[in-house]
Amino acid sequence: MASRTHDHLDLLVVGAGPTGLTAAVEARRRGLSVRVVERRERRSPFSKALVVHARTMEVFEGLGLAEHLTARSARFSALNLRGVAGARGRIDLLDLDWGDTDHPHWLTLPQYETERVLEDALSALGVQVEWATRFTGVAEEDDVVAATLTGPAGTEVVRSRWLLGADGGRSTVRDAIGGTLEREDAGATFILADAQTSASLAEDEGHLFLHPDGLLIIVPLPDPGRWRIIAHAPGESPAARTPIDAGYLDDLVRGRTGIEFGARDLGWTSRFALTHGVADVHRRGRVFLAGDAAHVHSPVGGQGLNTGVQDAHNLAWKLALADRIPAEAREDLLESYAVERRLVAHAMVGGVRRATSLVAGRGGLARRVVGALGPRILPRTRLRLALGRPLAGLEVAYAGGPLVVKEAPGSGARLANVHLGDGSRVLSQVDPQDPTWVVREPASDGPWGGLPLVAVPADADLPPVTLVRPDGHIIASGDVPAAVWTIVRRSPVLLAIAGGW
């Protein structure tokens, strides 16, 4: 096979799913040179991940892609709950306390549509996905990593300053750096299927059935009359040979809901064993892991794609800034990705594990109790609020790590996304390259250290002065800029990020 060696680039992304594509678009937006390789020969036509949450849409809005994605999606307005003994409940998702976001809803959007929009954006930035190209190994050199790739043209060694493994739960990048992802077997088999139906169901609402035979969720897809079925199958093995066909789905839905589903035109189907886990490493030197390469979990809550996209968002600005700050601060900046996103991953996987165990417990008696109480209790308690802002990622705060001053109130939280005078929101004005000052009008005199400044209305529910990271999270706040600088000077890496004023 032919072999060739290239001069190094800034970022090599392994994996062209939503996580890898988001990282590539974000990196190009920040001026980095990028290549994206994917072992598959072409994009998958299957819907796979489906729900896109509000914080992810804010990330896509920053890339100028939110409108394109919304046009391909369906708004998920309510969740109908059904249980045993006639137990019923309904949660209006649009009526939750969404607060400061322009995306106060769940969206159902097939993964291939998300990938298509991201790939088009990447192509417009001059980068094409390199299909049928496998990553086979990596070695770290002085100031680059040397990755070996095998593709249609042969084998090559690519030298890049950074490498991102976004290549899924069976990540070869993770294996190459000696990382492990210990999967906890949840003891449950799940069925996924996309199908047309002849049943009359409200097409902007989801349906969750808590049945003693197992959890069943029916979620609308953007195409009229098309639905995703998610079902716990306690009596089945992942290796079961029973085909997931129209008859199988009709029997499953009828048995748990009484609905004559009338399945036809089946698309993607899958039968799998449920596992949960977080990789023991998110970063090793110049190699990073994101998305399913770093964490795996059940589909309950639709967190996989969203967490991966937000991994990419967290990482990209740090890579772009790394060579612009002193070497002694660079390590803390890069390590902050691993620290911050591992905390998020553990919290997310733990929450999904508990929720899945509750609604898909191993014992039929436990499922019967949940089915009798859940539909009645959940809509009437504050627990329903967890389906809004917390699940949407709007309350993620980086409470630990090198970029947080623990004694500074609000440090690490997402900036409240208040409206500006022109009708836009403040997060849309945060600089993608450098920290940004957000100042209540009238703005006091500096010192601003040459950083961008955004003025918000005097009555905005924000501190008088806030210094914000490029990803919209708070570095520090205070009454005057000098007070913020006092906080920033306590940390050499924060001072470096802020320009060393």
Side-chain angles (χ1 to χ4, degrees):
M1 300 177 71
S3 180
R4 60 188 187 279
T5 301
H6 286 290
D7 293 332
H8 70 264
L9 72 159
D10 292 321
L11 175 64
L12 173 64
V13 178
V14 180
T19 299
L21 291 171
T22 299
V25 174
E26 289 269 28
R28 285 296 298 134
R29 177 179 174 236
R30 290 167 166 83
L32 301 185
S33 57
V34 176
R35 286 180 65 181
V36 181
V37 298
E38 171 57 57
R39 61 191 170 201
R40 294 173 296 166
E41 295 184 355
R42 63 186 66 85
R43 181 145 325 284
S44 170
F46 304 129
S47 55
K48 296 186 178 180
L50 192 62
V51 179
V52 180
H53 289 300
R55 183 55 178 151
T56 305
M57 288 301 294
E58 290 182 350
V59 172
F60 290 146
E61 187 174 14
L63 298 176
L65 304 179
E67 289 187 8
H68 298 284
L69 291 164
T70 300
R72 292 165 167 80
S73 68
R75 185 175 295 188
F76 201 149
S77 64
L79 184 62
N80 296 290
L81 308 174
R82 302 290 184 270
V84 300
R88 289 174 175 263
R90 187 174 189 276
I91 298 174
D92 186 342
L93 297 175
L94 302 183
D95 192 43
L96 298 176
D97 180 16
W98 288 96
D100 58 340
T101 181
D102 284 333
H103 308 280
H105 42 250
W106 298 6
L107 291 179
T108 54
L109 181 67
Q111 181 172 322
Y112 58 77
E113 292 284 13
T114 302
E115 291 174 347
R116 184 176 294 128
V117 169
L118 285 166
E119 190 178 355
D120 287 347
L122 187 61
S123 179
L125 292 168
V127 180
Q128 306 297 324
V129 175
E130 300 172 43
W131 299 97
T133 301
R134 290 183 172 274
F135 165 89
T136 58
V138 65
E140 188 150 349
E141 300 180 353
D142 290 339
D143 57 354
V144 296
V145 290
T148 303
L149 306 177
T150 300
T155 297
E156 61 178 321
V157 176
V158 176
R159 288 180 169 81
S160 61
R161 292 193 304 134
W162 320 108
L163 188 151
L164 174 62
D167 52 340
R170 295 180 176 83
S171 170
T172 54
V173 175
R174 187 182 64 229
D175 292 343
I177 63 173
T180 60
L181 197 160
E182 296 293 338
R183 295 172 181 259
E184 177 187 335
D185 184 0
T189 297
F190 265 72
I191 303 294
L192 299 180
D194 294 347
Q196 290 278 350
T197 180
S198 59
S200 179
L201 297 171
E203 293 198 354
D204 63 343
E205 300 183 2
H207 306 267
L208 188 151
F209 300 88
L210 297 166
H211 192 275
D213 289 344
L215 170 73
L216 177 70
I217 303 173
I218 305 177
V219 181
L221 291 165
D223 294 339
R226 195 161 189 83
W227 296 79
R228 161 70 56 81
I229 297 172
I230 305 169
H232 177 209
E236 294 193 20
S237 160
R241 296 184 179 276
T242 305
I244 304 173
D245 56 17
Y248 177 94
L249 294 177
D250 284 346
D251 289 344
L252 183 68
V253 174
R254 183 188 304 111
R256 299 189 190 180
T257 73
I259 295 172
E260 293 296 336
F261 192 72
R264 65 181 189 278
D265 189 22
L266 269 63
W268 182 52
T269 65
S270 178
R271 180 185 279 113
F272 62 94
L274 192 61
T275 60
H276 304 279
V278 178
D280 64 341
V281 60
H282 270 57
R283 174 201 174 212
R284 185 150 288 161
R286 292 178 173 270
V287 181
F288 301 82
L289 301 176
D292 288 353
H295 38 74
V296 295
H297 45 84
S298 90
V300 173
Q303 292 294 291
L305 178 151
N306 293 275
T307 306
V309 166
Q310 292 166 43
D311 287 346
H313 184 54
N314 182 283
L315 177 63
W317 72 271
K318 295 172 181 178
L319 296 183
L321 188 59
D323 283 346
R324 295 168 49 205
I325 66 174
E328 58 269 22
R330 191 176 304 146
E331 175 62 22
D332 280 347
L333 173 66
L334 297 175
E335 186 60 17
S336 73
Y337 166 76
V339 172
E340 292 177 353
R341 296 310 295 175
R342 272 182 62 78
L343 287 172
V344 170
H346 277 289
M348 181 271 295
V349 170
V352 171
R353 181 193 296 114
R354 290 189 294 273
T356 304
S357 177
L358 180 64
V359 298
R362 298 186 184 192
L365 178 59
R367 292 193 293 270
R368 184 174 292 277
V369 171
V370 171
L373 299 178
R376 295 185 173 98
I377 293 175
L378 184 58
R380 300 176 186 174
T381 66
R382 292 184 61 83
L383 286 173
R384 67 184 174 83
L385 298 180
L387 299 175
R389 291 181 61 85
L391 194 62
L394 295 170
E395 295 185 355
V396 167
Y398 300 125
L403 300 192
V404 173
V405 181
K406 294 180 176 59
E407 60 270 30
S411 182
R414 166 184 169 274
L415 180 72
N417 197 15
V418 301
H419 281 292
L420 303 180
D422 61 1
S424 65
R425 288 188 183 267
V426 65
L427 286 179
S428 68
Q429 304 302 313
V430 170
D431 191 278
Q433 303 277 14
D434 292 300
T436 299
W437 290 101
V438 176
V439 183
R440 283 205 324 239
E441 296 176 326
S444 63
D445 293 333
W448 307 116
L451 296 175
L453 186 148
V454 176
V456 300
D459 61 352
D461 188 17
L462 289 173
V465 177
T466 307
L467 188 60
V468 184
R469 303 179 348 175
D471 62 356
H473 285 259
I474 296 171
I475 294 174
S477 61
D479 291 331
V480 294
V484 177
W485 282 119
T486 298
I487 296 170
V488 168
R489 287 195 195 98
R490 298 173 191 167
S491 165
V493 64
L494 289 180
L495 187 60
I497 289 170
W501 182 87

